[in-house]
DNA sequence: AGAAGGATTCTCT
DNA sequence: GAGAATCCTTCTT
């Protein structure tokens, strides 16, 4: 099995961590292993970032130490997975927007209601059976609640960048940043 | 206490 | 391509 990425691996700016996460593996103790194929970076002074209007109970993990989880409910339906980057006190995170299944396909199929495509952050959350109660917890292979780990996997040879999705509310300068990272050469999109 | 709005997805057409 | 589903967080009276 791959070596886990230590917490300080995430102690870098989010736009640097995000492309480096492509090809890495998300591992759950139930045997589900996903390969990350699409990410987005969010930073401080970024009007697309949930933390840009100050710290709140929900967004507190974004201000915390690297290598922790930030999970929130989107549109009342979807649980979205973020990995906190940068040092404690500095806002930064990477949204996991898409994956492919490495292991545990039957489990994912059950959780996804018969489907196995994981293009889109809500689908990833469903495949991992994310719980917002995990938000703020550290990554680790074995823990009572947030039993989620990120391992080395196989970094990708090629990726391309695009503007981030679903952040029309942000300032134009932030909307235009090429902070969405997709594994492989230019091909399909997530929506 | 009330209201607004979303880092989305699915199902139609 | 358009519209509904759905509920929590946050901001405003």
């Amino acid at each position: 099995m791959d070596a886990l990425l230590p917490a300080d691996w995430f102690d870098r700016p989010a736009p640097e961590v995000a492309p480096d996460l492509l090809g890495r593996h998300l591992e759950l103790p139930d045997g589900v292993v996903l390969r990350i194929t699409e990410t987005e970076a969010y930073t401080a002074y970024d009007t697309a970032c949930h933390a840009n209007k100050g710290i709140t109970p929900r967004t507190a993990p974004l201000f915390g130490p690297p290598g922790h989880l930030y999970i929130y409910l989107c549109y009342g339906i979807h649980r979205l997975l973020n990995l906190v980057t940068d040092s404690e006190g500095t806002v930064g995170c990477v949204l996991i927007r898409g994956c492919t299944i490495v292991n545990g396909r039957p489990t994912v199929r059950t959780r996804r209601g018969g489907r196995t495509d994981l293009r889109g952050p809500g689908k990833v959350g469903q495949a991992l059976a994310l719980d917002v109660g995990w938000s703020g917890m550290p990554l680790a292979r074995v823990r009572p609640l947030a039993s989620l780990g990120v391992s080395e996997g196989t970094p990708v040879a090629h990726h391309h960048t695009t503007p981030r999705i679903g952040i029309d509310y942000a300032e134009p300068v932030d909307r235009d940043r090429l902070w969405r990272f997709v594994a492989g050469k230019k091909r399909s999109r997530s929506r």
Side-chain angles (χ1 to χ4, degrees):
Chain A
M1 189 168 281
D2 298 326
L4 282 187
L5 298 174
D8 63 11
W9 187 88
F10 295 88
D11 192 1
R12 296 178 283 157
E16 188 178 318
V17 174
D20 205 356
L21 274 171
L22 298 174
R24 310 295 186 172
H25 289 175
L26 292 167
E27 304 184 356
L28 283 175
D30 60 11
V32 171
V33 178
L34 306 182
R35 176 175 174 272
I36 299 171
T37 57
E38 185 179 330
T39 60
E40 276 180 5
Y42 291 84
T43 71
Y45 311 111
D46 172 6
T47 56
C49 182
H50 288 165
N52 91 88
K53 285 181 179 165
I55 190 168
T56 67
R58 181 183 64 144
T59 63
L62 293 172
F63 296 80
H68 285 225
L69 304 172
Y70 169 53
I71 299 169
Y72 72 97
L73 183 66
C74 184
Y75 293 103
I77 304 170
H78 308 287
R79 285 148 191 89
L80 272 49
L81 173 65
N82 296 260
L83 305 176
V84 177
T85 65
D86 296 85
S87 305
E88 181 161 14
T90 300
V91 167
C93 73
V94 176
L95 169 68
I96 308 301
R97 281 196 65 89
C99 292
T100 56
I101 301 172
V102 174
N103 210 2
R105 190 174 204 86
T107 304
V108 171
R109 187 190 299 277
T110 299
R111 288 174 179 162
R112 288 272 301 124
R115 298 167 177 265
T116 54
D117 68 296
L118 298 180
R119 254 181 192 291
K123 300 176 184 176
V124 173
Q126 202 173 15
L128 294 170
L130 291 184
D131 187 319
V132 291
W134 298 1
S135 193
M137 301 204 140
L139 283 166
R141 196 188 293 276
V142 178
R143 270 185 180 270
L145 284 176
S147 331
L148 178 65
V150 182
S151 66
E152 291 178 359
T154 308
V156 300
H158 302 287
H159 70 81
H160 62 275
T161 61
T162 79
R164 293 171 290 179
I165 306 292
I167 56 159
D168 291 344
Y169 56 83
E171 299 280 332
V173 63
D174 290 324
R175 278 199 327 238
D176 295 342
R177 293 185 198 285
L178 299 178
W179 280 355
R180 173 167 171 255
F181 304 88
V182 184
K185 301 196 170 172
K186 221 173 179 85
R187 288 194 125 193
S188 57
R189 300 182 187 175
S190 82
R191 54 177 283 171

